[in-house]
Amino acid sequence: MSKEDDAIVLQLADPPNCPRCGEPGPVSAQFPHSWTNASGKEVPGIREAMLCPVCDRDEPAADRLLAFFAVHKTLGLSELETFHDLTAAWVAVARARQVDQQQLADEYERSRNGEL
């Protein structure tokens, strides 16, 4: 099964606020995600991405989906195909987003030093 075939769960009603800035957004997505642990074994899991009008600004796939939400306050049958295409493009970008290991290490060190 390819990543594109994995189930994606969208939350349109009361999605959680953005974990990066705390602002509300129009949708969140949960999708399967796995990683390789230190012993080389694949660990399956779930990732969640939040579409944020602040943090995702200037990312083309996010901007297109945010523009869709700005125009369409409700989702009708005639918009389903467009919504699907825009959402799939945004999730593909969110799925490919990786953790900045250096930033993570820096934040960990600042936390250990009581700076956070």
Side-chain angles (χ1 to χ4, degrees), residues 2-109:
S2 71
K3 286 184 179 181
E4 291 78 26
D5 294 331
D6 290 341
I8 298 169
V9 177
L10 300 177
Q11 184 175 348
L12 294 161
D14 300 321
N17 287 350
C18 176
R20 297 169 283 177
C21 71
E23 290 296 316
V27 65
S28 67
Q30 291 182 342
F31 46 87
H33 171 74
S34 63
W35 62 93
T36 304
N37 66 15
S39 64
K41 293 185 180 179
E42 186 173 337
V43 179
I46 300 285
R47 277 183 61 191
E48 184 171 28
M50 171 68 202
L51 179 62
C52 179
V54 176
C55 297
D56 293 329
R57 186 176 309 153
D58 297 328
E59 196 293 302
D63 284 343
R64 286 189 291 272
L65 186 54
L66 287 164
F68 177 88
F69 280 114
V71 172
H72 300 91
K73 300 301 181 197
T74 61
L75 187 59
L77 289 176
S78 61
E79 293 93 24
L80 282 180
E81 185 175 350
T82 301
F83 176 72
H84 171 270
D85 293 345
L86 292 172
T87 303
W90 166 67
V91 169
V93 170
R95 187 186 294 265
R97 194 175 295 134
Q98 299 292 317
V99 172
D100 181 330
Q101 293 295 331
Q102 186 59 54
Q103 180 183 5
L104 183 62
D106 292 344
E107 286 180 13
Y108 174 74
E109 192 61 34

